Amino acid sequence: MQAGSTQHKPAWFVTGTDTEIGKTFVCCALLHALRRAGLSAVAMKPVAAGFDDNGRNDDVDRLLAASSLQPPLELVNPYGFKAAIAPHIAAEEEGRRIELPHIIATFAQLQALADAVLVEGVGGFCVPLGPGSDAADLAAVLQLPLILVVGMRLGCINHALLTQQAIAARSLPLAGWVANRIDPEMSRFSENLAALQERLAAPLLGVVEHGTTPEQAALGLRLPQQGK
């Protein structure tokens, strides 16, 4: 069962093999794919770090721009920190604490507004959020199937397989994965992609080519089966 009273609506938690591997870009592409499928779709980034003097964060702004509706910012991003550093360090420096129950409640409010919701994690799957909690805990308490974004570069196979193990250790379903070509010069791309397809126990939802827009990338993505 997913968090909230609208558990039958499609929703996924988008995680990645590392930071800076294109989670936000893929989220935006998936939002466009959902909208092309006739669904109103919105994304939330529960924890974001790195805000300018005007209180703006690039990732949050991009998710809002790709969403079907413009909900209140506090629903899209309940925890925002000024410094572009690890969230548990940023929270400590600002004298704040990331509370998972608050994120769950916020997600439920956002889910009530749209047909489908994407929840973008922060950094990799196990990034700390505070004393005794991390991004994996957030995925677990939300009880959402996961979409894994694999940043296609040297070392991605190891990172992807370790992330899959961490997801399985939480008994969470991996609904699918996206290969994001963050390194257009990656050597032996096809061979690496094949190795991942053989070893990841989830369907490949698509390959995002370097230099595309989210709208263009959406055309090459297929959505995970609902509830998986």
Side-chain angles (χ1 to χ4, degrees), residues 189-209:
F189 169 79
S190 297
E191 291 87 341
N192 279 272
L193 183 68
L196 286 165
Q197 287 182 280
E198 291 173 3
R199 292 165 174 81
L200 289 176
L204 173 62
L205 303 178
V207 176
V208 174
E209 296 295 337

Side-chain angles (χ1 to χ4, degrees), residues 49-81:
F51 283 75
D52 64 22
D53 292 337
N54 296 317
R56 310 295 301 192
N57 174 272
D58 286 344
D59 289 350
V60 174
D61 286 348
R62 288 160 63 195
L63 292 175
L64 280 168
S67 295
S68 302
L69 58 152
Q70 301 294 299
L73 183 60
E74 59 268 22
L75 297 185
V76 175
N77 174 229
Y79 290 103
F81 303 99

Side-chain angles (χ1 to χ4, degrees), residues 33-192:
L34 287 162
R35 294 171 66 178
R36 286 176 58 85
L39 300 174
S40 63
V42 66
M44 73 178 296
K45 190 172 179 71
V47 180
F51 283 75
D52 64 22
D53 292 337
N54 296 317
R56 310 295 301 192
N57 174 272
D58 286 344
D59 289 350
V60 174
D61 286 348
R62 288 160 63 195
L63 292 175
L64 280 168
S67 295
S68 302
L69 58 152
Q70 301 294 299
L73 183 60
E74 59 268 22
L75 297 185
V76 175
N77 174 229
Y79 290 103
F81 303 99
K82 185 171 179 59
I85 56 178
H88 70 291
I89 299 174
E92 183 178 1
E93 288 185 354
E94 294 187 18
R96 301 166 62 192
R97 185 182 180 93
I98 298 171
E99 302 284 355
L100 299 189
H102 176 61
I103 295 176
I104 296 171
T106 303
F107 167 78
Q109 294 179 65
L110 194 62
Q111 195 177 35
L113 301 176
D115 297 327
V117 180
L118 297 174
V119 180
E120 183 189 335
V122 56
F125 184 60
C126 295
V127 167
L129 299 180
S133 70
D134 57 25
D137 293 321
L138 174 58
V141 297
L142 287 171
Q143 301 180 51
L144 296 177
L146 284 98
I147 296 173
L148 174 63
V149 180
V150 179
M152 297 301 293
R153 62 187 177 197
L154 185 64
C156 66
I157 296 176
N158 181 63
H159 287 150
L161 297 182
L162 288 174
T163 304
Q164 177 175 246
Q165 289 180 12
I167 291 170
R170 303 281 179 146
S171 299
L172 295 172
L174 181 57
W177 63 284
V178 175
N180 186 22
R181 297 198 68 173
I182 58 174
D183 178 8
E185 304 301 324
M186 180 184 186
S187 180
R188 307 296 189 274
F189 169 79
S190 297
E191 291 87 341
N192 279 272

